[in-house]
């Protein structure tokens, strides 16, 4: 690391120019290539996927998404000739749009008009599932339908394809988060240049990754939220990495009598090495998404890894060059130094208290985290429905109209894909429809739609309950496990339960089944790296347990707020299940961020331990020196994530609350109470490793001697 630091110092102007050129080129390439996001979710081997494949092969017109255009007569009845003519004309125009294969008018089926005649719905069938359709095609359907609105007729649209146009963006939340982060950094450093460098370095790295991410979308199926997640994680780790290095540089500047180059080399030889190691663990955590086996996550993992690697490279090359150019202007003012001394004194007193009573402190911290984590045992993974959308959105308006006119279950249609037997197909379909309609939880069943060849059929089933309710998920299981098997055995037909709601049931099952493996792989690989670096069996174990505690507590808080409704009014959220992908992605993000803090803190403790051999002193000194910067880094992340929780979007609220809670608990409860108490209880055993293991394991060090004697000559 010293060699890289020296090279960056000697070529400081060249480094800055090269990064500037890379940034401009990358942004230009991203604009020219244009991202080709594909939100297609495939779940091989599941009932819903097999149903989709059967429909696609038998009659493509029903293989895709089926969404609703909901009409509401403000003046009375949809039977009014003027309204009927307006609705019919609109549906004819929609049927001619790209990717639309079929439009079923409400006037063709009495069951599609409410009893009072004021509300009706048309079913629009697409040739692809909602997550695979081009956004432009869905937006044209919305625009065409909405042109039918008038003083007498309200028109709203709902369904999974329409919902894709309502997906959250991180633009406004990111800007708010960056502004809040700047304020926190300025309060921490007391210097505008020092506060600006972490943000500037992170933005250079993120901006330079945009071109690579755009290119990735052309060679790998990448969902549209991949770039936003990459920004979220990249900004977090980028600010953290630069913050750690800048803080160490300011300390080294004082230790080396104001020698800027020597301070940069010291900072990169210590904090820089820790940052490089922490970055490797973040990449491991994110790439662990491949273990889940869901193709939707592959592009997410690679895009996020690219962003992390670029901000890491910026922290290791661009940042030292900028530090040398800014020089002594980053040194704290006299008042700032007094505040720092006061803060260090406060941390010393606090840690002294923890070290005098480590057992009660550890028990109290663990008890608090376990209490917060307990509700996570009841975590229900499912897709939230449009009832959680803002009331101003068309999806929420359509949801409310359908619920009012027909019941909430009309927002959660299930599609039965049937391969009929060679003989007696009509009898088999009739028997199936009767059995399904008699199943508890079913509101109504459509007439079977036969394929052109007559060998397959589709039956639409409307539940009595909403898409996100437990009853609807139970209905899917009941149909698959109780209602359909006897029909299949008696008739020889093949019946598969599909559609968007059923695919979400299967998605939740896949995630739930793979989550333990994902966690085990990420923790296992990270533990191996920690073992190689710190030559300790207990440090990796401690890191794994404490990470699980903080993440479990965060998910427990999320479950309490969103599922139980405690404090939901304060956050402006409605009760809902937890999206199936939330625990996976939250674990990857939080594990990466918390391991940043773990590596930076433990490496400082280990540095003092190897120098003095006094464990209690090493814990106290290491925590005193790092607690301030870790607190600042965590505060930055908490305000950034809280800005997402304060947004109007349901998914962003979920992410924001989970991430902000996890980081807050990690910084406040674990790093300042549980970790020092645990290390004090373990004593010298913290650094023990069997001799045979020490001989067999390769050595990986993130610490290096501070050699600043060699003069530097600027050749830039």
């Amino acid at each position: 690391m010293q060699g890289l630091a020296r090279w960056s110092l000697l070529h400081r102007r060249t480094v800055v120019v090269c990064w500037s050129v890379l940034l401009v080129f990358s942004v230009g390439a991203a604009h020219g290539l244009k991202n080709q996001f594909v939100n297609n979710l495939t779940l091989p081997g599941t009932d819903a996927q097999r149903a989709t494949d059967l429909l696609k092969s038998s009659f493509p017109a029903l293989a895709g998404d089926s969404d609703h255009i909901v009409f509401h007569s403000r003046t009375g009845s949809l039977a009014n000739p003027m309204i009927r003519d307006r609705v019919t004309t609109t549906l004819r125009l929609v049927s001619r749009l790209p990717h639309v294969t079929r439009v079923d008018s409400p006037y063709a089926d009495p069951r599609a008009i409410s009893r009072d005649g004021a509300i009706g719905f048309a079913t629009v069938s697409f040739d692809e599932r909602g997550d695979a359709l081009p956004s432009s095609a869905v937006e044209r359907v919305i625009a065409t339908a909405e042109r039918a609105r008038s003083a007498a007729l309200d028109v709203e649209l709902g369904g999974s394809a329409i919902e894709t146009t309502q997906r959250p963006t991180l633009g406004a939340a990111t800007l708010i988060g960056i502004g809040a982060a700047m304020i926190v950094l300025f309060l921490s450093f007391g210097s505008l240049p020092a506060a600006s460098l972490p943000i500037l370095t992170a933005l250079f790295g993120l901006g330079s990754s945009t071109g690579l991410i755009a290119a990735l979308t052309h060679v790998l199926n990448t969902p549209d939220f991949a770039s936003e997640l990459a920004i979220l994680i990249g900004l977090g780790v980028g600010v953290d990495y630069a913050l750690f290095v800048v803080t160490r540089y300011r300390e080294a500047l004082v230790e080396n009598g104001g020698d800027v180059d020597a301070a940069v080399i010291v900072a990169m030889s210590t904090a820089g090495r820790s940052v490089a190691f922490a970055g490797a663990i973040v990449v491991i955590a994110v790439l662990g998404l491949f273990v889940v086996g869901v193709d939707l996550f592959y592009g997410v993992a690679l895009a996020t890894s690219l962003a992390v690697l670029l901000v890491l490279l910026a922290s290791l090359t661009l940042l030292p060059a900028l530090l040398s150019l800014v020089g002594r202007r980053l040194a704290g003012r006299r008042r700032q130094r007094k505040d720092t001394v006061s803060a260090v004194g406060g941390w010393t007193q606090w840690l002294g208290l923890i070290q005098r009573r480590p057992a009660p402190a550890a028990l109290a911290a663990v008890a608090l985290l376990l209490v917060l984590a307990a509700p996570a045992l009841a975590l229900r993974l499912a897709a939230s429905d449009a009832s959680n959308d803002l009331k101003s959105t068309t999806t929420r308006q359509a949801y409310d109209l359908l619920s009012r006119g027909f019941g909430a279950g009309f927002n959660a249609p299930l599609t039965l894909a049937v391969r009929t037997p060679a003989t007696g197909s009509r009898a088999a379909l009739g028997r199936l429809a009767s059995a399904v309609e008699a199943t508890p939880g079913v509101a109504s069943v459509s007439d079977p739609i036969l394929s052109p060849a007559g060998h397959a059929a589709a039956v639409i089933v409307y539940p009595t309950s909403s898409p996100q309710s437990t009853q609807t998920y139970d209905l899917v299981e009941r149909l698959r496990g109780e209602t359909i098997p006897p029909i299949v055995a008696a008739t020889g037909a093949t019946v598969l339960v599909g559609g968007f709601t059923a695919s979400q049931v299967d998605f939740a099952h896949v995630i739930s089944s793979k989550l333990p493996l994902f966690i085990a792989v990420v923790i296992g690989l990270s533990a191996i790296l920690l073992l190689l670096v710190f030559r300790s069996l207990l440090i990796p174990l401690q890191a794994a347990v404490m990470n699980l505690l903080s993440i479990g507590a965060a998910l427990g808080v999320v479950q309490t707020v969103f599922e139980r409704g405690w404090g939901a009014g304060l956050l402006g959220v409605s009760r809902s299940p937890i999206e199936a992908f939330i625990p996976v992605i939250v674990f990857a993000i939080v594990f990466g961020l918390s391991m940043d803090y773990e590596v930076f803190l433990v490496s400082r403790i280990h540095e003092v331990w190897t120098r003095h051999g006094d464990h209690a002193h090493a814990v106290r000194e290491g925590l005193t020196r790092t607690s301030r910067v870790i607190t600042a880094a965590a505060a930055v992340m908490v305000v950034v994530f809280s800005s997402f929780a304060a947004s109007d979007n349901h998914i962003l609220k979920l992410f924001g609350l989970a991430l902000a809670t996890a980081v807050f608990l990690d910084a406040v409860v674990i790093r300042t109470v549980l970790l020092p108490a645990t290390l004090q209880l373990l004593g010298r055993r913290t650094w023990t490793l069997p001799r045979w293991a020490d001989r067999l394991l390769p050595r990986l060090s993130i610490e290096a001697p501070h050699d600043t004697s060699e003069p530097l000559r600027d050749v830039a």
Side-chain angles (χ1 to χ4, degrees):
M1 193 59 66
Q2 283 190 14
L4 182 60
R6 289 180 179 277
W7 183 88
S8 297
L9 289 174
L10 289 171
H11 304 86
R12 53 179 69 90
R13 294 181 180 84
T14 302
V15 169
V16 173
V17 170
C18 287
W19 271 101
S20 301
V21 172
L22 177 61
L23 176 64
V24 173
F25 176 79
S26 185
V27 172
H31 181 74
L33 287 172
K34 298 193 182 303
N35 294 312
Q36 289 190 355
F37 294 121
V38 177
N39 297 307
N40 191 20
L41 172 65
T42 58
L43 299 168
T46 63
D47 234 33
Q49 187 63 51
R50 286 195 293 266
T52 298
D53 296 339
L54 175 57
L55 292 174
K56 186 173 291 186
S57 63
S58 300
F59 37 113
L62 293 177
D65 219 33
S66 294
D67 287 28
H68 292 135
I69 302 177
V70 186
F71 300 96
H72 173 221
S73 174
R74 302 177 190 271
T75 57
S77 173
L78 290 174
N80 181 297
M82 293 183 62
I83 291 179
R84 180 170 184 145
D85 180 64
R86 195 177 188 90
V87 170
T88 303
T89 301
T90 298
L91 296 180
R92 186 168 58 250
L93 294 174
V94 170
S95 68
R96 298 171 181 171
L97 294 175
H99 296 280
V100 175
T101 59
R102 177 187 178 119
V103 176
D104 294 320
S105 170
Y107 300 110
D109 185 352
R111 291 171 295 187
I113 296 180
S114 62
R115 291 182 179 179
D116 62 4
I119 301 173
F121 66 89
T123 301
V124 180
S125 298
F126 294 97
D127 59 2
E128 294 284 354
R129 290 196 335 199
D131 51 17
L133 284 167
S135 298
S136 58
V138 181
E139 289 166 357
R140 288 187 66 180
V141 170
I142 296 174
T144 303
E146 288 181 340
R147 281 199 290 268
R149 284 177 180 161
S150 67
L153 181 66
D154 185 20
V155 182
E156 306 294 346
L157 297 94
S160 61
I162 307 300
E163 195 75 44
T164 61
T165 64
Q166 312 292 315
R167 280 182 172 152
T169 60
L170 300 183
T174 301
L175 291 177
I176 294 172
I178 290 175
M182 279 293 298
I183 294 174
V184 172
L185 290 172
F186 180 76
L187 293 175
S188 176
F189 284 131
S191 163
L192 186 59
S196 302
L197 276 186
I199 299 291
L200 183 63
T201 304
L203 292 179
F204 259 92
L206 281 177
S208 300
S209 69
T210 56
L212 290 174
I213 294 175
L216 176 69
T217 64
H218 287 262
V219 298
L220 183 69
N221 287 347
T222 306
D224 55 4
F225 65 85
S227 62
E228 296 170 341
L229 192 61
I231 291 173
L232 179 68
I233 301 179
L235 180 63
V237 299
V239 171
D240 277 2
Y241 296 163
L243 179 59
F244 294 156
V245 173
V246 170
T247 300
R248 193 69 177 93
Y249 166 78
R250 282 157 61 95
E251 293 176 1
L253 199 60
V254 175
E255 295 168 359
N256 288 271
D259 188 332
V260 171
D261 289 340
V264 170
I265 292 175
V266 169
M268 298 309 298
S269 298
T270 52
R273 284 174 172 265
S274 300
V275 160
F277 182 73
I281 292 182
V282 173
V283 171
I284 288 173
V286 174
L287 291 180
L289 291 172
F290 276 87
V291 175
V292 180
V294 176
D295 59 355
L296 192 70
F297 289 154
Y298 298 162
V300 173
L302 290 177
T304 305
S305 296
L306 287 172
V308 171
L309 289 173
L310 264 294
V311 297
L312 176 60
L313 186 59
S315 299
L316 299 179
T317 58
L318 176 64
L319 183 57
L322 293 175
L323 287 173
S324 68
L325 291 172
V326 176
R328 298 178 184 175
R329 281 176 286 179
L330 293 191
R333 297 186 181 92
R334 182 175 300 175
R335 175 64 180 275
Q336 173 69 14
R337 288 195 291 270
K338 288 182 179 179
D339 292 342
T340 301
V341 171
S342 176
V344 169
W347 281 114
T348 301
Q349 292 178 358
W350 171 256
L351 292 170
L353 176 64
I354 296 294
Q355 288 185 311
R356 285 193 298 273
R357 296 177 176 84
L363 289 174
V366 170
L368 173 62
L369 293 171
L370 288 177
V371 168
L372 293 175
L377 297 174
L379 200 68
R380 177 175 169 253
L381 302 183
S384 56
D385 58 33
S387 65
N388 298 288
D389 294 349
L390 288 176
K391 291 184 178 181
S392 59
T393 61
T394 187
T395 50
R396 173 63 183 273
Q397 294 291 329
Y399 180 95
D400 291 343
L401 285 172
L402 282 176
S403 297
R404 190 171 78 187
F406 307 94
F410 273 74
N411 290 287
L414 304 172
T415 303
L416 302 185
V418 185
R419 182 179 288 111
T420 56
T423 58
S425 60
R426 291 189 178 277
L429 288 172
R431 187 170 178 177
L432 173 66
S434 298
V436 170
E437 197 160 20
T439 302
V442 173
S444 66
V445 179
S446 73
D447 295 330
I449 305 170
L450 291 173
S451 66
H455 301 308
V459 179
I460 308 300
V461 179
Y462 293 100
T464 57
S465 50
S466 67
Q468 70 180 24
S469 70
T470 305
Q471 290 85 349
T472 301
Y473 278 57
D474 291 343
L475 173 61
V476 172
E477 300 296 341
R478 191 179 303 119
L479 289 173
R480 289 173 172 172
E482 300 175 12
T483 303
I484 292 175
I487 304 298
V488 171
T491 64
T494 298
V495 184
L496 301 166
V497 182
F500 178 76
T501 302
S503 69
Q504 292 303 309
V505 173
D506 291 340
F507 181 53
H509 286 170
V510 169
I511 294 295
S512 299
S513 64
K514 294 292 183 69
L515 188 58
L517 176 62
F518 165 69
I519 293 174
V521 168
V522 171
I523 289 181
L525 292 176
S526 302
I528 291 172
L529 287 178
L530 290 174
L531 175 63
L532 296 178
V533 167
F534 296 115
R535 320 300 291 180
S536 164
L537 292 175
L538 295 178
I539 287 296
L541 179 62
Q542 160 265 315
V545 171
M546 292 185 187
N547 271 288
L548 289 175
L549 282 173
S550 64
I551 295 171
L555 292 177
V557 170
V558 167
Q559 197 274 348
T560 301
V561 173
F562 282 86
E563 293 192 51
R564 300 172 189 258
W566 296 8
L570 296 175
L571 292 176
V573 302
S574 53
R575 295 182 64 175
S576 69
I578 309 304
E579 298 286 341
F581 55 82
I582 291 288
V584 176
I585 296 179
V586 165
F587 181 88
I589 297 174
V590 173
F591 188 85
L593 289 175
S594 63
M595 288 303 291
D596 287 350
Y597 307 151
E598 173 81 14
V599 170
F600 193 70
L601 191 155
V602 175
S603 63
R604 197 65 182 271
I605 295 174
H606 191 251
E607 179 184 340
V608 180
W609 159 253
T610 54
R611 192 178 302 167
H612 300 287
D614 184 337
H615 177 74
H617 171 72
V619 171
R620 187 168 53 254
E621 180 72 11
L623 282 161
T624 300
R625 292 293 183 182
T626 58
S627 292
R628 182 179 175 87
V629 64
I630 288 177
T631 301
V636 169
M637 291 301 95
V638 169
V639 297
V640 169
F641 296 146
S642 296
S643 68
F644 301 146
S647 71
D648 293 328
N649 187 275
H650 179 72
I651 302 297
L652 285 184
K653 285 180 180 292
L654 265 171
F655 265 126
L657 179 62
L659 295 173
T661 302
V663 173
F664 176 81
L665 292 174
D666 187 88
V668 174
V669 179
I670 289 180
R671 304 300 157 196
T672 63
V673 180
L674 184 55
L675 180 61
T678 301
L679 294 181
Q680 183 66 26
L681 288 170
L682 293 175
R684 299 172 65 92
R685 289 169 293 181
T686 301
W687 313 108
T688 57
L689 182 69
R691 292 182 179 178
W692 62 266
D694 189 49
R695 289 194 304 268
L696 291 176
L697 293 174
R699 293 188 176 274
L700 179 64
S701 176
I702 58 174
E703 297 164 10
H706 305 161
D707 179 14
T708 62
S709 59
E710 182 183 337
L712 291 168
R713 180 170 54 88
D714 192 349
V715 297

